Amino acid sequence: MSAAEEAALYRVARRRARQDAQRKERVDVRYSVDEKQAILAEARRLGLAGAHLVGAIVMAHLNDDLALPAGRTPNDDLVDEYAALRTELSRIGTNANQIAHRLNASGDAHPVDSAVLAEARRLVAVVKQTITALDSAADAAATNHRAA
């Protein structure tokens, strides 16, 4: 967090106006032990109560004074699409392998068996190359997402 963002957060937390009636409404949130310790440490550093810090951040976000990290990005969707394509390609490769296995296992060869077997082997090779390229593209997309 930059110094300007920190100062703005402190300002937002401090300028929360008093109301005539006591605030009675609650929103309960659960945190892990580590998350709670981090919140309380930051609140102590800023001289605020933990609940006041959390409330100020939520209200700042609701008032468009504080941006939260984005949820899903188009990059996330791209990685998911790559994973779905990889699954489909793997199924095609499995089917081609089953065809090749059946043709190799049968004792009686048919005139077209050698052509079908050659095509099944070619298909498996293409699927393997495509999966390798797809894995590289998904890795690059995930790496770019982490870097952003």
Side-chain angles (χ1 to χ4, degrees), residues 7-137:
L9 175 61
Y10 188 77
R11 234 182 1 268
V12 167
R14 282 290 177 203
R15 74 174 178 222
R16 191 167 148 192
R18 280 212 162 280
Q19 295 184 348
D20 293 337
Q22 182 182 9
R23 290 183 171 100
K24 295 181 181 178
E25 298 300 317
R26 295 174 48 132
V27 175
D28 292 326
V29 181
R30 294 184 185 270
Y31 296 101
S32 71
V33 171
D34 293 339
E35 290 168 335
K36 181 180 177 185
Q37 288 174 348
I39 290 168
L40 294 177
E42 182 64 10
R44 268 191 307 277
R45 193 179 71 70
L46 294 171
L48 302 170
H52 196 118
L53 173 65
V54 171
I57 291 170
V58 169
M59 295 312 295
H61 172 70
L62 292 176
N63 293 323
D64 289 331
D65 289 338
L66 181 67
L68 294 177
R72 290 190 60 79
T73 65
N75 214 27
D76 293 327
D77 295 337
L78 179 63
V79 171
D80 289 345
E81 186 65 27
Y82 282 145
L85 286 171
R86 188 184 196 292
T87 299
E88 290 301 313
L89 283 168
S90 293
R91 288 181 182 149
I92 291 169
T94 298
N95 288 342
N97 275 331
Q98 289 172 348
I99 291 167
H101 177 72
R102 187 167 187 286
L103 290 172
N104 283 327
S106 66
D108 300 328
H110 296 282
V112 295
D113 283 355
S114 61
V116 172
L117 186 57
E119 188 61 22
R121 285 185 179 139
R122 188 193 69 73
L123 179 60
V124 167
V126 169
V127 167
K128 284 181 181 179
Q129 290 173 344
T130 306
I131 286 174
T132 299
L134 196 56
D135 285 346
S136 296

